[in-house]
Amino acid sequence: QVTNYVMVSAKKFARENLFSLLLVQTKSKKTLAKPGVKNIVLVEGVRTPFLLSGTIYNDFMAHDLARAALLGLLNKTSLPKDAVDYIVYGTVIQEVKTSNVAREAALGAGISEKIPAHTVTMACISANQAITTAVGLIAAGQCDVVVAGGVETMSDMPIRHSRKMRKTMLTLNKAKTLSQRLTLLSKIRLGYLTPELPALTEFSTNETMGHSADRLTAAFGVSRREQDEFAFRSHSLAKKAQDAGLLSDVLSVNVPGKGIVSKDNGIRPSSMEQLEKLKPVFIKPHGTITPASSSFLTDGASAVLLMSEEKALAMGYKPKAYLRDFVFVSQDPKDQLLLGPSYATPEVLEKSGITLDDIDVFEFHEGQILANLKAMDSDWFAQTCMGRKSKVGVLPIEKLNLWGGSLSLGHPFGATGARLVTAAVNRLKKEGGQYALVAACAAGGQVVFDL
Amino acid sequence: YASGTLQPGVGIEPVTFLNPKAAALIAVKDDVAVIRINNPDSKVNTLSIPMQREMAEVMNEVWANGAVKSVVLISSKPGCFIAGADINMIQACRSAEEVTALSQEGQKMFEKIEKSPIPIVAAINGSCLGGGLEFALACQYRVATKSRKTVLGTPEVMLGLLPGAGGTQRLPKMVGLPSAFDVMLTGRNIRADKAKKMGLVHQLVDPLGPGLKDSDVRTVEYLEEVAVGFAKGIVNKSIPLTKRKGIMQKLQDYAMGIPFVRQQIYKTVTKRVMNQTKGLYPAPLKIIECVKAGLEKGSEAGYLEESQNFGKLAMTPESKALVGLYQGQVACKKNRFGTPEREVKNLAILGAGLMGAGIAQVTVDKGVNVILKDTATEGLSRGQDQVYKGFNAKVKKKSITSFERDTTMSCLTGQLDYSGFERVDMVIEAVFEDLSIKHKVLKEVEAVTPPHCIFATNTSGLPIKDIAAASKRPENVIGMHYFSPVDKMQLLEIITTDKTSKDTTASAVALGLKQGKIIIVVKDGPGFYTTRCLSPMLAELLRLLQEGVEPKKLDLLTTSFGLPVGAVILADEVGIDVAAHVGKTMTKAFGSRLDGGNIEVVTTMVEKGFTGRKAGKGFYIYEKGSKSRNINPAAEEILKKFKLSAPPSVSSDSDVQYRLVSRFVNEALLCLQEGILSNPMEGDIGAVFGLGFPPFLGGPFRFVDAFGADKLVQKMKKYEEVYGNQFTACQLLQDHAKDSSKKFYK
């Protein structure tokens, strides 16, 4: 049941937006540097292990996780705490006590109280929004060193009193006499005590994300088998990467009373036979999405260190990648909810003047990725829905998410964006490629990195 | 026509065997035969004789093929499964026996479907009505899309008929007695999610968005895929055919097993039907009889009762009138003036009163930007609230989401000035009924609107040409007479002057159709068509009141004649001041012919503030929260003051009814005679949908046909002797009286 719930929420937060990122290593191909625009570099990226909600991070609040990622990044880069100019974090479900979670995490990490911090939200690409905000700050000459990241915990979330109960309680505050208070209290009915969970449905369409995702797979004719195979692939690749020590961005975090965690715990490589046995969770009995083909509820935080190139070099860093460009796109929240990557990918490629074939590394958020692959390969979709002359093309799956993805590593909504970016950078270095493309659905965006 | 033999296809590629022009095609997916219904001659599928024959052949072929283990029945028409039986087929019958035979053929065919040795899954997308629903009910399993276009229902009762192909027998068994009566007696459309709750369908399928194909096309494909999956599941027993019943369901079933309980239900339902129909509509009672026969005497008796009653009903004048209205309604939902040069995308409404706000409400959710302008903030705010309440009620009924309500409301701009009028394509004014005020706003509007902008006036009585006299562009001036409450009343009366251009008319009709209205287009003149018919009837009503007929008795006499509300209540609803105003205007235009009661009565009432429902006092007293109406004693006093003696020769109950009706009908015929109306059909539609003329009579023209013009003229002569020219039959009526072969409807 926990898994079911995870998926509902996971899809919910995908919303209508999309984000993706392109990374480049300067070798033979062009650098994509833009005249007159500052070079912005990624120095390092880290993340806490991504854990199933309700497990080891059970007692953490979001700012605890965010602080762990922040401290880990500072330690890994040996960056002095006073060298940061600004901090931006993304998150989706906000803890009401720490609504500016970036600031709480920064203060807790011992970063000077003189350093400003703010929090952004944009569903599943909140961390991407944090990163592009940082890019903007550096490009505008406001800052030289910015930490951007994201955090999410689903082990705890704000469950509210019902609207009627809240109204009564607030009026109660203002009641002056005992009799006024008693009158108000006597109005409370059993129904008032029903709690209000964070919405499981899309606000504008009243549809749960799981439903929407299942409709999307059906619209693109993605079969149950294809989805099972993709889930199997994701878990197998993640396991391989974990065993080979490729997930070098994962920090070791000491959880008080529970020891040190240094591995993601949602990777469960199983067999196709086992996957085939799972029942659909959203549309019963004829749906095609199962617990395996949707990501589970996850807790985790991530962070990246971004600098202007001169600053990085002056401080003696060897930058990992350049950030060149990005786009955000939005679509109809009902029928095109999770199709962001299909829309944003061609746009950023055109903006950068390169093609799909030039890309060496693809890191896509695994939210209905198969439907997106089919959409990009369809002339009808390109012409009818995207207003393009012809299809985007076939995305080479052998370059996609080779170290696992959101299905296997997990998907802490606010933190995934920065994980995707760091994974792409690390893969580029490891595989010796030049360009990497990152895409995620929620609020479309793309960034070009050039190393 | 059936060619080739069925072979199980390999994989899912459909293999089509039959003549592609046929109404039903078979494809085979593994061992599932998919029958796609597609009437080649029409946009919708209807159960006509050839269609039934073809279906029977196709089914026989499927049953004869041992390799086919299950069947999926689906339509290839977008937005339509089967829209019902072919009305023309029933109309072509000359006797009840013929219709009964048709019904029995349908019953037999569906019985075969019900007893099919292999499971049949009905895959429903779009309208599944009447015979279409009965077809689906006979199948073993039903899957429906959640599309808004998917509606199930048995609308036969609205045509004065009953579900004559097993519906009265299968429905009670499937959804229980109370729901079955609800479905059949109201004839209302049931949306898919409700149908699932009732137990009409087993499974729902979500409509899909655009993917690799158009969303409608892919949705139907997906529906078929899912239905094929269910068909296979039924065969391999992984999908159960019966749902496990809940405690409430079991309790209800238990209660229905007790004959006494059933008797009580029949009684209650009959009583309610009698209350609502005054016994004037035979179909609902026959439906109850059929259900009762089936449950109490066994299904054989039930099916026989159903087919015989179906035959009888089809021959009743009530059914013919209702079918005529249905056909008229269809005709009045078309734009006979063609497509306008420009679509109205920006509309401004002047006056945010009940009317203005009502017009805004039916327009703003149709993709038209609406400016609602008033002269005072209070009025404007009240109007905007009215629109909001209208949509919020829909949210509460879950027919739209709160988000849709908000985006719709965002297309409505409330304002006090003329800003933005340079962009509007049409202005509808709903300001006070005073010629000088209308002239003033017309001039103001023309000064700020673009040259193509149409000026529509929502007046109930002022001649349009008088209003247009102040216009620089009289070709753009037209009358659009809405009925209150606008969101409930279906009729729109459009009035053209000699100068109104055809494109202006086309544009007004197009907008009205968008608003979901049934439209009649009439020529200009005092009172146009509807107000003119109503006016003499109200004058007569006043005289009857003066002659001492109690308001309650008058209301009883008029409702028992078939009017939806009593005539006196109607006067209160319309507003005594409005009635007085219209009465004066009409008498001025038509002279003594439109006289009746003394106009002083109403002017006195208006002076005392008894202006009707809106004031809380008219002939009756209206109290908030109280349903019972009491006579307003002060109004009674006024009536006493103006008391007339009632001539006994023309004052029987029946005379009272015919005095009211004959003046209405005579005026309607006069409108046709004078060319205000372009045909009798529009006259009937206008009277029924705008003024509440009894639907089972089909409208004034059909009434004359059925009642007999000569009989009506005789009655009028008797009244004429007492009251003079107010009861002089018009030439057209006299012509029809002289020659009984003359009919308005063939």
Side-chain angles (χ1 to χ4, degrees), chain A residues 329-443:
Chain A
V329 296
S330 279
Q331 288 90 37
D332 159 28
K334 175 131 181 90
D335 290 330
Q336 312 244 307
L337 197 51
L338 304 163
L339 286 176
S342 311
Y343 283 89
T345 298
E347 268 192 49
V348 86
L349 291 177
E350 273 159 25
K351 242 178 135 183
S352 311
I354 53 174
T355 67
L356 210 52
D357 295 337
D358 294 325
I359 309 288
D360 305 299
V361 167
F362 290 92
E363 276 293 323
F364 276 29
H365 170 51
E366 291 176 345
Q368 293 324 312
I369 200 166
L370 294 172
N372 274 291
L373 297 187
K374 296 209 176 193
M376 283 194 258
D377 193 23
S378 159
D379 278 326
W380 188 90
F381 184 81
Q383 286 155 5
T384 319
C385 300
M386 295 167 70
R388 305 181 70 84
K389 281 203 188 87
S390 60
K391 63 187 181 185
V392 179
V394 181
L395 195 131
I397 194 143
E398 66 281 3
K399 295 179 183 173
L400 175 74
N401 298 4
L402 293 184
W403 295 355
S406 297
L407 289 183
S408 47
L409 301 172
H411 175 37
F413 314 131
T416 291
R419 173 189 69 75
L420 289 170
V421 173
T422 308
V425 173
N426 291 345
R427 271 184 62 200
L428 262 192
K429 282 199 89 87
K430 181 81 187 169
E431 294 167 15
Q434 189 180 358
Y435 299 119
L437 178 72
V438 174
C441 50

Side-chain angles (χ1 to χ4, degrees), chain B residues 422-691:
Chain B
E422 68 279 4
R423 281 190 304 274
V424 301
D425 306 303
M426 185 188 283
V427 174
I428 300 179
E429 66 78 15
V431 302
F432 191 72
E433 291 271 63
D434 180 284
L435 195 60
S436 59
I437 297 181
K438 304 245 181 208
H439 278 169
K440 183 173 161 270
V441 297
L442 173 58
K443 282 180 190 151
E444 282 173 8
V445 163
E446 284 191 349
V448 290
T449 51
H452 76 271
C453 180
I454 292 168
F455 184 88
T457 168
N458 175 53
T459 172
S460 56
L462 297 174
I464 310 301
K465 70 169 172 24
D466 295 354
I467 297 173
S471 171
K472 282 186 287 181
R473 306 188 280 264
E475 68 280 8
N476 287 359
V477 179
I478 195 164
M480 288 175 89
H481 179 198
Y482 290 87
F483 295 76
S484 192
V486 181
D487 58 323
K488 301 260 157 47
M489 296 292 284
Q490 289 174 282
L491 189 73
L492 168 62
E493 182 180 29
I494 288 179
I495 306 106
T496 59
T497 70
D498 296 342
K499 290 186 180 151
T500 308
S501 74
K502 192 181 156 219
D503 191 57
T504 297
T505 315
S507 199
V509 173
L511 182 72
L513 290 177
K514 232 187 228 178
Q515 293 166 334
K517 297 292 169 200
I518 300 170
I519 297 169
I520 61 171
V521 180
V522 304
K523 287 257 163 59
D524 191 22
F528 330 122
Y529 169 64
T530 51
T531 308
R532 189 164 155 190
C533 290
L534 194 61
S535 192
M537 191 175 96
L538 287 179
E540 194 60 30
L541 183 75
L542 190 60
R543 174 153 62 200
L544 285 163
L545 286 166
Q546 281 179 269
E547 286 180 1
V549 188
E550 295 277 320
K552 283 201 172 171
K553 188 177 177 193
L554 263 176
D555 279 343
L556 189 70
L557 286 174
T558 41
T559 49
S560 64
F561 190 79
L563 286 183
V565 289
V568 185
I569 298 175
L570 181 72
D572 272 357
E573 294 277 352
V574 169
I576 305 299
D577 50 341
V578 176
H581 182 79
V582 171
K584 277 182 209 157
T585 329
M586 298 298 284
T587 323
K588 213 195 266 170
F590 295 103
S592 61
R593 197 173 57 73
L594 276 228
D595 272 350
N598 189 341
I599 197 88
E600 291 279 308
V601 178
V602 277
T603 41
T604 317
M605 281 184 71
V606 174
E607 275 164 24
K608 299 223 164 162
F610 304 148
T611 52
R613 172 105 207 202
K614 57 194 167 193
K617 276 182 184 178
F619 289 107
Y620 290 101
I621 293 179
Y622 300 88
E623 274 162 15
K624 262 197 185 147
S626 147
K627 274 202 166 173
S628 67
R629 275 181 220 99
N630 291 318
I631 299 292
N632 180 3
E636 240 179 347
E637 282 303 310
I638 299 172
L639 284 173
K640 268 191 197 139
K641 216 170 93 190
F642 291 94
K643 191 161 172 57
L644 298 170
S645 65
S649 63
V650 290
S651 296
S652 73
D653 285 359
S654 153
D655 284 329
V656 168
Q657 288 176 329
Y658 281 102
R659 275 166 60 185
L660 290 166
V661 171
S662 62
R663 289 195 67 180
F664 185 113
V665 170
N666 188 46
E667 204 63 34
L669 265 63
L670 201 52
C671 285
L672 182 64
Q673 183 184 314
E674 289 176 5
I676 299 276
L677 282 173
S678 50
N679 56 59
M681 184 268 286
E682 288 192 45
D684 280 348
I685 292 289
V688 171
F689 291 97
L691 304 171

